[in-house]
Coordinates of all heavy atoms in Angstrom, one line a residue:
M694 N 8.8 -10.3 4.1 CA 7.8 -9.7 3.3 C 7.1 -8.7 4.0 O 6.6 -8.9 5.2 CB 6.9 -10.9 2.8 CG 5.9 -10.5 1.8 SD 5.1 -12.0 1.1 CE 3.7 -11.3 0.5
E695 N 6.8 -7.6 3.3 CA 6.0 -6.5 3.9 C 4.6 -6.8 4.0 O 4.0 -7.5 3.3 CB 6.1 -5.3 3.1 CG 7.5 -4.7 2.9 CD 7.5 -3.4 2.1 OE1 6.5 -2.7 2.1 OE2 8.6 -3.2 1.5
E696 N 4.0 -6.3 5.2 CA 2.5 -6.4 5.4 C 1.9 -5.4 4.5 O 2.3 -4.3 4.4 CB 2.3 -6.3 6.8 CG 0.8 -6.5 7.2 CD 0.5 -6.4 8.7 OE1 1.4 -6.9 9.5 OE2 -0.6 -6.1 9.0
D697 N 0.7 -5.8 4.1 CA -0.1 -4.8 3.2 C -0.6 -3.7 4.1 O -1.0 -3.8 5.2 CB -1.3 -5.5 2.6 CG -1.0 -6.5 1.5 OD1 0.1 -6.4 0.9 OD2 -1.8 -7.4 1.2
S698 N -0.5 -2.5 3.4 CA -1.1 -1.3 4.1 C -2.6 -1.4 4.1 O -3.2 -2.2 3.4 CB -0.7 0.0 3.4 OG -1.3 0.1 2.2
P699 N -3.2 -0.6 5.0 CA -4.8 -0.6 5.0 C -5.3 -0.4 3.6 O -6.3 -0.9 3.2 CB -5.2 0.5 6.0 CG -3.9 0.6 6.9 CD -2.7 0.3 6.0
I700 N -4.7 0.5 2.8 CA -5.2 0.9 1.5 C -5.1 -0.4 0.6 O -6.0 -0.7 -0.2 CB -4.5 2.1 0.9 CG1 -4.8 3.3 1.6 CG2 -4.9 2.3 -0.6 CD1 -4.2 4.6 1.3
E701 N -3.9 -1.0 0.7 CA -3.7 -2.2 -0.2 C -4.7 -3.3 0.2 O -5.2 -4.0 -0.7 CB -2.2 -2.7 0.0 CG -1.2 -1.9 -0.6 CD 0.2 -2.2 -0.2 OE1 0.4 -2.5 1.0 OE2 1.0 -2.2 -1.1
K702 N -5.0 -3.5 1.5 CA -5.9 -4.4 1.9 C -7.3 -4.1 1.3 O -8.0 -5.0 0.9 CB -6.1 -4.5 3.4 CG -4.9 -5.2 4.1 CD -4.8 -5.1 5.6 CE -3.6 -5.7 6.2 NZ -3.7 -5.7 7.7
Q703 N -7.7 -2.8 1.3 CA -9.0 -2.4 0.8 C -9.0 -2.7 -0.7 O -10.1 -3.1 -1.2 CB -9.3 -0.9 1.2 CG -10.7 -0.5 0.8 CD -11.0 0.9 1.4 OE1 -10.1 1.5 1.9 NE2 -12.3 1.2 1.2
V704 N -7.9 -2.4 -1.4 CA -7.9 -2.6 -2.9 C -8.1 -4.2 -3.1 O -8.9 -4.5 -4.0 CB -6.6 -2.2 -3.5 CG1 -6.4 -2.7 -4.8 CG2 -6.5 -0.6 -3.5
K705 N -7.4 -5.0 -2.3 CA -7.6 -6.4 -2.5 C -9.0 -6.9 -2.3 O -9.5 -7.7 -3.0 CB -6.6 -7.2 -1.7 CG -5.2 -7.1 -2.2 CD -4.2 -7.9 -1.3 CE -2.8 -7.7 -1.7 NZ -1.8 -8.5 -1.0
E706 N -9.6 -6.4 -1.2 CA -11.0 -6.7 -0.9 C -11.9 -6.3 -2.0 O -12.8 -7.1 -2.4 CB -11.5 -6.2 0.4 CG -12.9 -6.3 0.8 CD -13.3 -7.8 0.9 OE1 -12.3 -8.7 1.3 OE2 -14.5 -8.0 0.7
L707 N -11.7 -5.1 -2.5 CA -12.6 -4.6 -3.6 C -12.4 -5.4 -4.9 O -13.3 -5.8 -5.5 CB -12.4 -3.1 -3.8 CG -12.8 -2.1 -2.8 CD1 -12.3 -0.8 -3.0 CD2 -14.4 -2.0 -2.8
E708 N -11.1 -5.8 -5.2 CA -10.9 -6.6 -6.3 C -11.6 -8.0 -6.1 O -12.1 -8.5 -7.1 CB -9.4 -6.8 -6.6 CG -8.8 -5.5 -7.0 CD -7.3 -5.6 -7.2 OE1 -6.7 -6.4 -6.4 OE2 -6.7 -4.8 -8.0
H709 N -11.6 -8.5 -4.9 CA -12.3 -9.8 -4.7 C -13.7 -9.7 -4.9 O -14.3 -10.5 -5.5 CB -11.9 -10.2 -3.2 CG -12.6 -11.5 -2.8 ND1 -12.3 -12.7 -3.2 CD2 -13.8 -11.6 -2.0 CE1 -13.2 -13.5 -2.7 NE2 -14.0 -13.0 -2.0
Q710 N -14.3 -8.5 -4.4 CA -15.7 -8.3 -4.6 C -16.1 -8.2 -6.1 O -17.1 -8.8 -6.6 CB -16.1 -7.1 -3.8 CG -16.1 -7.2 -2.4 CD -16.4 -5.8 -1.6 OE1 -16.7 -4.8 -2.2 NE2 -16.1 -5.9 -0.3
I711 N -15.3 -7.5 -6.8 CA -15.5 -7.4 -8.3 C -15.5 -8.7 -9.0 O -16.3 -9.0 -9.8 CB -14.4 -6.3 -8.9 CG1 -14.7 -5.0 -8.3 CG2 -14.4 -6.5 -10.4 CD1 -13.5 -3.9 -8.7
A712 N -14.5 -9.6 -8.6 CA -14.4 -10.8 -9.2 C -15.7 -11.7 -8.9 O -16.2 -12.4 -9.8 CB -13.2 -11.6 -8.7
H713 N -16.1 -11.5 -7.7 CA -17.4 -12.3 -7.3 C -18.6 -11.8 -8.1 O -19.4 -12.6 -8.6 CB -17.6 -12.1 -5.8 CG -18.9 -12.9 -5.4 ND1 -18.9 -14.2 -5.2 CD2 -20.1 -12.3 -5.0 CE1 -20.2 -14.5 -4.8 NE2 -20.8 -13.4 -4.6
L714 N -18.7 -10.5 -8.2 CA -19.8 -9.9 -9.0 C -19.8 -10.3 -10.5 O -20.8 -10.6 -11.1 CB -19.8 -8.4 -8.9 CG -20.2 -7.8 -7.5 CD1 -19.9 -6.4 -7.4 CD2 -21.7 -8.0 -7.2
Q715 N -18.5 -10.3 -11.0 CA -18.4 -10.8 -12.4 C -18.8 -12.3 -12.5 O -19.4 -12.7 -13.5 CB -16.9 -10.6 -13.0 CG -16.6 -9.1 -13.0 CD -15.1 -8.9 -13.3 OE1 -14.2 -9.6 -12.8 NE2 -14.8 -7.8 -14.2
R716 N -18.3 -13.1 -11.7 CA -18.7 -14.5 -11.7 C -20.2 -14.6 -11.6 O -20.8 -15.4 -12.3 CB -17.9 -15.3 -10.6 CG -18.2 -16.8 -10.7 CD -17.4 -17.5 -9.6 NE -17.9 -17.2 -8.3 CZ -17.2 -16.5 -7.4 NH1 -16.0 -16.2 -7.5 NH2 -17.8 -16.4 -6.1
S717 N -20.8 -14.0 -10.6 CA -22.2 -14.0 -10.5 C -23.0 -13.6 -11.8 O -24.0 -14.3 -12.2 CB -22.6 -13.1 -9.3 OG -24.1 -13.0 -9.1
N718 N -22.5 -12.5 -12.3 CA -23.1 -12.0 -13.6 C -23.1 -13.1 -14.6 O -23.9 -13.4 -15.4 CB -22.6 -10.7 -14.1 CG -23.2 -9.5 -13.5 OD1 -24.1 -9.6 -12.6 ND2 -22.8 -8.4 -13.9
A719 N -21.9 -13.7 -14.8 CA -21.7 -14.7 -15.9 C -22.7 -15.9 -15.6 O -23.2 -16.5 -16.6 CB -20.2 -15.2 -15.8
E720 N -22.9 -16.3 -14.3 CA -23.8 -17.4 -14.0 C -25.2 -17.0 -14.4 O -26.0 -17.8 -14.9 CB -23.7 -17.8 -12.6 CG -22.3 -18.5 -12.2 CD -22.1 -18.6 -10.7 OE1 -23.0 -18.2 -9.9 OE2 -21.1 -19.2 -10.3
M721 N -25.6 -15.7 -14.0 CA -27.0 -15.2 -14.3 C -27.1 -15.1 -15.8 O -28.2 -15.5 -16.3 CB -27.2 -14.0 -13.6 CG -27.4 -14.1 -12.1 SD -27.9 -12.5 -11.3 CE -26.4 -11.5 -11.3
E722 N -26.2 -14.7 -16.6 CA -26.3 -14.6 -18.0 C -26.4 -15.9 -18.7 O -27.2 -16.1 -19.6 CB -25.0 -13.8 -18.6 CG -25.1 -12.4 -18.3 CD -23.9 -11.7 -18.6 OE1 -22.9 -12.3 -19.0 OE2 -23.8 -10.4 -18.5
E723 N -25.7 -17.0 -18.1 CA -25.9 -18.3 -18.6 C -27.3 -18.7 -18.5 O -27.9 -19.4 -19.4 CB -24.9 -19.2 -17.8 CG -25.0 -20.7 -18.3 CD -24.5 -20.9 -19.7 OE1 -23.6 -20.2 -20.1 OE2 -24.9 -21.8 -20.3
F724 N -27.9 -18.5 -17.3 CA -29.3 -18.9 -17.0 C -30.2 -18.2 -17.9 O -31.2 -18.9 -18.5 CB -29.6 -18.6 -15.6 CG -31.0 -18.9 -15.2 CD1 -31.5 -20.2 -14.8 CD2 -32.0 -17.9 -15.2 CE1 -32.7 -20.5 -14.6 CE2 -33.3 -18.2 -14.8 CZ -33.7 -19.4 -14.5
L725 N -29.9 -16.9 -18.2 CA -30.8 -16.1 -19.0 C -30.8 -16.5 -20.5 O -31.7 -16.0 -21.3 CB -30.6 -14.7 -18.9 CG -31.0 -14.1 -17.5 CD1 -30.6 -12.6 -17.4 CD2 -32.6 -14.1 -17.4
R726 N -29.8 -17.3 -20.9 CA -29.8 -17.7 -22.3 C -30.9 -18.6 -22.6 O -31.4 -18.7 -23.8 CB -28.4 -18.5 -22.6 CG -27.2 -17.6 -22.7 CD -26.0 -18.2 -23.2 NE -24.9 -17.3 -23.2 CZ -23.8 -17.5 -22.4 NH1 -23.7 -18.5 -21.6 NH2 -22.9 -16.6 -22.4
E727 N -31.5 -19.3 -21.7 CA -32.5 -20.3 -21.8 C -33.8 -19.9 -21.1 O -34.8 -20.6 -21.3 CB -32.1 -21.7 -21.5 CG -30.9 -22.2 -22.3 CD -30.5 -23.6 -21.9 OE1 -31.3 -24.3 -21.2 OE2 -29.4 -24.0 -22.3
N728 N -33.7 -18.8 -20.4 CA -34.9 -18.4 -19.6 C -35.0 -16.9 -19.6 O -34.1 -16.1 -20.0 CB -34.7 -18.8 -18.1 CG -34.4 -20.3 -17.9 OD1 -35.4 -21.1 -18.0 ND2 -33.2 -20.6 -17.8
T729 N -36.2 -16.4 -19.3 CA -36.5 -15.0 -19.2 C -36.8 -14.6 -17.8 O -37.6 -15.3 -17.2 CB -37.5 -14.5 -20.1 OG1 -38.7 -15.2 -19.9 CG2 -37.1 -14.6 -21.6
D730 N -36.1 -13.6 -17.3 CA -36.3 -13.3 -15.9 C -36.0 -11.8 -15.7 O -34.8 -11.5 -15.7 CB -35.6 -14.1 -14.9 CG -35.9 -13.9 -13.4 OD1 -36.2 -12.7 -13.1 OD2 -35.9 -14.8 -12.7
A731 N -37.0 -10.9 -15.6 CA -36.8 -9.5 -15.6 C -35.9 -9.1 -14.3 O -35.1 -8.2 -14.4 CB -38.1 -8.7 -15.6
E732 N -36.2 -9.7 -13.2 CA -35.6 -9.4 -12.0 C -34.1 -9.8 -12.1 O -33.1 -9.1 -11.6 CB -36.2 -10.1 -10.8 CG -37.5 -9.5 -10.4 CD -38.1 -10.2 -9.2 OE1 -37.3 -10.7 -8.3 OE2 -39.3 -10.2 -9.1
L733 N -33.8 -10.9 -12.7 CA -32.4 -11.4 -12.8 C -31.6 -10.5 -13.8 O -30.5 -10.1 -13.6 CB -32.4 -12.8 -13.4 CG -31.2 -13.7 -13.1 CD1 -30.9 -13.7 -11.7 CD2 -31.4 -15.1 -13.7
R734 N -32.3 -10.0 -14.9 CA -31.8 -9.0 -15.8 C -31.5 -7.7 -15.1 O -30.4 -7.1 -15.3 CB -32.7 -8.8 -17.0 CG -32.2 -7.9 -18.1 CD -31.0 -8.3 -18.8 NE -31.2 -9.5 -19.5 CZ -30.2 -10.3 -20.0 NH1 -29.0 -9.9 -19.9 NH2 -30.4 -11.4 -20.6
A735 N -32.3 -7.3 -14.2 CA -32.2 -6.1 -13.5 C -31.0 -6.2 -12.5 O -30.1 -5.3 -12.3 CB -33.4 -5.7 -12.6
A736 N -30.8 -7.4 -11.9 CA -29.7 -7.8 -11.0 C -28.4 -7.6 -11.7 O -27.4 -7.0 -11.1 CB -29.9 -9.0 -10.3
I737 N -28.3 -8.1 -12.9 CA -27.1 -8.0 -13.7 C -26.7 -6.5 -14.0 O -25.6 -6.2 -13.8 CB -27.3 -8.8 -15.0 CG1 -27.3 -10.3 -14.8 CG2 -26.1 -8.5 -15.9 CD1 -27.7 -11.1 -16.0
G738 N -27.8 -5.8 -14.3 CA -27.5 -4.4 -14.5 C -27.1 -3.6 -13.3 O -26.1 -2.8 -13.3
E739 N -27.6 -3.9 -12.1 CA -27.1 -3.4 -10.9 C -25.7 -3.8 -10.5 O -24.9 -3.0 -10.1 CB -28.0 -3.8 -9.7 CG -29.4 -3.3 -9.8 CD -30.4 -3.8 -8.8 OE1 -30.0 -4.6 -7.9 OE2 -31.6 -3.5 -8.8
N740 N -25.4 -5.1 -10.9 CA -24.0 -5.5 -10.6 C -23.0 -4.8 -11.5 O -21.9 -4.5 -11.1 CB -23.9 -7.0 -10.8 CG -24.5 -7.9 -9.7 OD1 -24.8 -7.3 -8.7 ND2 -24.5 -9.2 -9.9
I741 N -23.4 -4.6 -12.8 CA -22.5 -3.8 -13.6 C -22.2 -2.4 -13.1 O -21.1 -2.0 -13.2 CB -23.2 -3.8 -15.0 CG1 -23.2 -5.2 -15.7 CG2 -22.4 -2.7 -16.0 CD1 -24.0 -5.3 -17.0
V742 N -23.2 -1.8 -12.6 CA -23.0 -0.5 -12.0 C -22.2 -0.5 -10.8 O -21.2 0.3 -10.6 CB -24.4 0.2 -11.6 CG1 -24.2 1.5 -10.8 CG2 -25.2 0.6 -12.8
T743 N -22.4 -1.5 -9.9 CA -21.6 -1.7 -8.8 C -20.1 -2.0 -9.1 O -19.2 -1.5 -8.5 CB -22.2 -2.9 -7.9 OG1 -23.5 -2.6 -7.5 CG2 -21.3 -3.1 -6.6
I744 N -19.9 -2.9 -10.1 CA -18.5 -3.2 -10.6 C -17.8 -1.9 -11.0 O -16.7 -1.6 -10.7 CB -18.6 -4.3 -11.7 CG1 -19.0 -5.5 -11.1 CG2 -17.2 -4.3 -12.4 CD1 -19.3 -6.6 -12.2
A745 N -18.5 -1.1 -11.8 CA -17.9 0.2 -12.3 C -17.5 1.0 -11.2 O -16.5 1.7 -11.1 CB -18.9 0.9 -13.3
R746 N -18.4 1.1 -10.2 CA -18.1 2.1 -8.9 C -16.9 1.6 -8.3 O -16.0 2.3 -7.8 CB -19.4 2.1 -8.1 CG -20.5 3.0 -8.6 CD -21.6 3.1 -7.7 NE -22.7 3.9 -8.2 CZ -24.0 3.7 -8.0 NH1 -24.4 2.7 -7.1 NH2 -24.9 4.4 -8.4
R747 N -16.9 0.2 -8.1 CA -15.8 -0.4 -7.3 C -14.4 -0.2 -8.0 O -13.4 0.1 -7.4 CB -16.1 -1.8 -6.9 CG -17.2 -1.8 -5.9 CD -17.3 -3.0 -5.0 NE -18.1 -2.8 -3.9 CZ -19.3 -3.5 -3.7 NH1 -19.5 -4.6 -4.4 NH2 -20.0 -3.2 -2.7
R748 N -14.5 -0.3 -9.3 CA -13.3 -0.1 -10.1 C -12.8 1.3 -10.0 O -11.6 1.5 -9.9 CB -13.5 -0.5 -11.6 CG -13.6 -1.9 -11.9 CD -13.7 -2.3 -13.3 NE -13.6 -3.7 -13.6 CZ -14.2 -4.3 -14.6 NH1 -14.9 -3.6 -15.5 NH2 -14.1 -5.6 -14.8
A749 N -13.6 2.2 -10.0 CA -13.3 3.6 -9.8 C -12.7 3.8 -8.4 O -11.7 4.6 -8.3 CB -14.5 4.5 -10.0
I750 N -13.2 3.2 -7.4 CA -12.7 3.3 -6.0 C -11.3 2.8 -6.0 O -10.3 3.3 -5.5 CB -13.6 2.7 -5.1 CG1 -14.9 3.5 -4.9 CG2 -13.0 2.7 -3.7 CD1 -16.1 2.8 -4.2
V751 N -11.1 1.6 -6.6 CA -9.8 0.9 -6.7 C -8.8 1.8 -7.3 O -7.7 2.1 -6.9 CB -9.9 -0.4 -7.4 CG1 -8.4 -0.9 -7.8 CG2 -10.6 -1.5 -6.5
E752 N -9.2 2.4 -8.5 CA -8.3 3.3 -9.2 C -7.9 4.6 -8.3 O -6.7 4.9 -8.3 CB -9.0 3.9 -10.5 CG -8.1 4.7 -11.3 CD -8.8 5.1 -12.6 OE1 -9.6 4.3 -13.2 OE2 -8.6 6.2 -13.1
D753 N -8.9 5.1 -7.6 CA -8.6 6.3 -6.7 C -7.7 5.8 -5.6 O -6.8 6.6 -5.2 CB -9.9 6.9 -6.2 CG -10.6 7.6 -7.2 OD1 -10.1 8.0 -8.2 OD2 -11.9 7.9 -6.9
L754 N -7.9 4.6 -5.0 CA -7.1 4.2 -3.9 C -5.6 3.9 -4.3 O -4.7 4.2 -3.6 CB -7.7 2.9 -3.3 CG -8.9 3.0 -2.5 CD1 -9.5 1.7 -2.1 CD2 -8.7 3.8 -1.2
R755 N -5.5 3.3 -5.6 CA -4.1 3.1 -6.1 C -3.4 4.4 -6.3 O -2.1 4.4 -6.1 CB -4.2 2.3 -7.4 CG -4.6 0.9 -7.2 CD -4.3 0.1 -8.4 NE -4.4 -1.3 -8.1 CZ -5.2 -2.2 -8.8 NH1 -5.8 -1.7 -9.9 NH2 -5.3 -3.4 -8.4
K756 N -4.0 5.5 -6.5 CA -3.4 6.8 -6.6 C -2.8 7.2 -5.3 O -1.9 8.0 -5.2 CB -4.3 7.8 -7.2 CG -4.6 7.6 -8.6 CD -5.7 8.6 -9.1 CE -6.2 8.4 -10.5 NZ -7.2 9.3 -10.9
L757 N -3.4 6.8 -4.3 CA -2.9 7.1 -2.9 C -1.8 6.3 -2.4 O -1.1 6.7 -1.5 CB -4.1 6.9 -1.8 CG -5.3 7.8 -2.0 CD1 -6.4 7.4 -1.1 CD2 -5.0 9.3 -2.0
L758 N -1.5 5.2 -3.1 CA -0.4 4.3 -2.7 C 0.9 4.9 -3.2 O 1.0 5.3 -4.3 CB -0.6 2.9 -3.3 CG -1.7 2.1 -2.7 CD1 -1.9 0.7 -3.5 CD2 -1.5 1.8 -1.3
P759 N 1.9 4.9 -2.3 CA 3.2 5.4 -2.8 C 3.8 4.4 -3.8 O 3.5 3.1 -3.7 CB 4.1 5.4 -1.5 CG 3.4 4.5 -0.6 CD 1.9 4.5 -0.9
E760 N 4.6 4.8 -4.7 CA 5.3 3.9 -5.6 C 6.3 3.1 -4.8 O 7.0 3.6 -3.9 CB 6.0 4.7 -6.7 CG 5.0 5.4 -7.7 CD 5.7 6.0 -8.8 OE1 6.8 5.6 -9.2 OE2 5.1 7.0 -9.3
R761 N 6.4 1.8 -5.1 CA 7.4 1.0 -4.3 C 8.8 1.2 -4.7 O 9.6 1.2 -3.9 CB 7.0 -0.6 -4.7 CG 5.8 -1.0 -4.1 CD 5.9 -1.1 -2.6 NE 4.7 -1.4 -2.0 CZ 4.5 -1.5 -0.7 NH1 5.4 -1.1 0.1 NH2 3.3 -1.8 -0.2
S762 N 9.0 1.6 -5.9 CA 10.4 2.0 -6.3 C 10.4 3.2 -7.2 O 10.1 3.2 -8.3 CB 11.1 0.8 -7.1 OG 10.4 0.5 -8.3
G763 N 10.5 4.3 -6.5 CA 10.4 5.6 -7.2 C 11.5 5.8 -8.2 O 12.5 5.1 -8.2
P764 N 11.3 6.8 -9.0 CA 12.3 7.1 -10.1 C 13.6 7.7 -9.5 O 13.6 8.3 -8.4 CB 11.7 8.1 -10.9 CG 10.7 8.8 -10.0 CD 10.2 7.8 -9.0
T765 N 14.8 7.4 -10.1 CA 16.0 8.0 -9.7 C 16.1 9.4 -10.3 O 15.9 9.6 -11.5 CB 17.2 7.1 -10.1 OG1 17.0 5.8 -9.7 CG2 18.5 7.6 -9.7
V766 N 16.5 10.3 -9.5 CA 16.6 11.7 -9.9 C 18.1 12.1 -9.5 O 18.5 11.8 -8.5 CB 15.6 12.6 -9.2 CG1 15.9 14.1 -9.6 CG2 14.2 12.2 -9.5
V767 N 18.7 12.9 -10.3 CA 20.0 13.4 -10.0 C 19.9 14.8 -9.3 O 19.3 15.7 -9.9 CB 20.9 13.5 -11.3 CG1 22.3 14.1 -10.9 CG2 21.0 12.1 -11.9
A768 N 20.4 14.9 -8.2 CA 20.4 16.1 -7.4 C 21.4 17.1 -8.0 O 22.3 16.7 -8.7 CB 20.7 15.9 -5.9
P769 N 21.2 18.4 -7.7 CA 22.2 19.4 -8.2 C 23.6 19.0 -7.8 O 24.5 19.4 -8.6 CB 21.7 20.7 -7.6 CG 20.3 20.5 -7.2 CD 20.1 19.0 -7.0
S770 N 23.8 18.4 -6.7 CA 25.2 18.0 -6.3 C 25.7 16.8 -7.1 O 26.9 16.6 -7.0 CB 25.1 17.6 -4.8 OG 24.4 16.4 -4.6
G771 N 24.9 16.2 -7.9 CA 25.3 15.1 -8.6 C 25.0 13.8 -8.0 O 25.2 12.7 -8.7
A772 N 24.5 13.8 -6.8 CA 24.2 12.6 -6.1 C 22.9 12.0 -6.5 O 21.9 12.8 -6.9 CB 24.2 12.8 -4.6
A773 N 22.8 10.7 -6.6 CA 21.5 10.1 -7.0 C 20.5 10.3 -5.8 O 20.8 10.1 -4.7 CB 21.7 8.6 -7.3
V774 N 19.3 10.6 -6.2 CA 18.2 10.7 -5.2 C 17.1 9.8 -5.6 O 16.7 9.8 -6.7 CB 17.7 12.2 -5.2 CG1 16.6 12.3 -4.2 CG2 18.8 13.2 -5.0
L775 N 16.7 8.9 -4.6 CA 15.6 8.0 -4.8 C 14.4 8.4 -4.0 O 14.6 8.8 -2.8 CB 16.1 6.6 -4.4 CG 17.3 6.0 -5.2 CD1 17.7 4.7 -4.6 CD2 16.9 5.8 -6.6
S776 N 13.2 8.2 -4.5 CA 12.1 8.4 -3.8 C 11.8 7.2 -2.8 O 11.7 6.0 -3.4 CB 10.9 8.7 -4.6 OG 9.7 8.8 -4.0
D777 N 11.7 7.4 -1.6 CA 11.4 6.3 -0.7 C 9.9 5.9 -0.7 O 9.1 6.6 -1.4 CB 11.8 6.6 0.7 CG 11.9 5.5 1.7 OD1 11.8 4.3 1.3 OD2 12.1 5.6 2.9
V778 N 9.5 4.8 -0.2 CA 8.2 4.3 -0.2 C 7.2 5.4 0.4 O 6.1 5.5 -0.1 CB 8.0 3.0 0.6 CG1 6.6 2.5 0.8 CG2 8.9 1.9 0.0
D779 N 7.6 6.1 1.4 CA 6.8 7.1 2.0 C 6.8 8.4 1.3 O 6.3 9.5 1.8 CB 7.1 7.2 3.5 CG 8.4 7.9 3.8 OD1 9.2 8.2 2.8 OD2 8.8 8.1 4.9
G780 N 7.5 8.5 0.2 CA 7.7 9.7 -0.5 C 8.8 10.7 -0.2 O 9.1 11.6 -0.9
S781 N 9.5 10.3 0.9 CA 10.7 11.1 1.2 C 11.8 10.8 0.3 O 11.8 9.7 -0.4 CB 11.1 10.8 2.7 OG 11.5 9.5 2.8
M782 N 12.7 11.7 0.2 CA 13.8 11.5 -0.7 C 15.1 10.8 0.0 O 15.4 11.3 1.2 CB 14.3 12.9 -1.3 CG 13.1 13.5 -2.1 SD 12.4 12.5 -3.4 CE 13.3 13.0 -4.7
L783 N 15.7 10.0 -0.6 CA 16.9 9.3 -0.1 C 18.1 9.8 -0.9 O 18.0 9.8 -2.2 CB 16.8 7.8 -0.1 CG 15.6 7.2 0.7 CD1 15.6 5.7 0.3 CD2 15.8 7.5 2.2
L784 N 19.3 10.0 -0.2 CA 20.5 10.3 -1.1 C 21.4 9.1 -1.0 O 21.5 8.4 -0.1 CB 21.1 11.6 -0.4 CG 20.4 12.8 -0.5 CD1 21.2 14.0 0.2 CD2 20.2 13.4 -2.0

């Protein structure tokens, strides 16, 4: 099994942080159903902004990752050409 690249590790960490923020927001929203707390409401709003920012970062990082199985292209010679993980072409 391949080891995750630094970018993949960062994506996983950000996804973990997003899940934690979402869980935290759900818990705070549950509390706010029966209570009022302006600071808690503000914290939920801040978390929503943070989640959106982290999702955008994840999206950008995923664009940097090479495709694991690139498309097959037919070379002018008729040989199949595959894109390798690092973006180089294989014949």
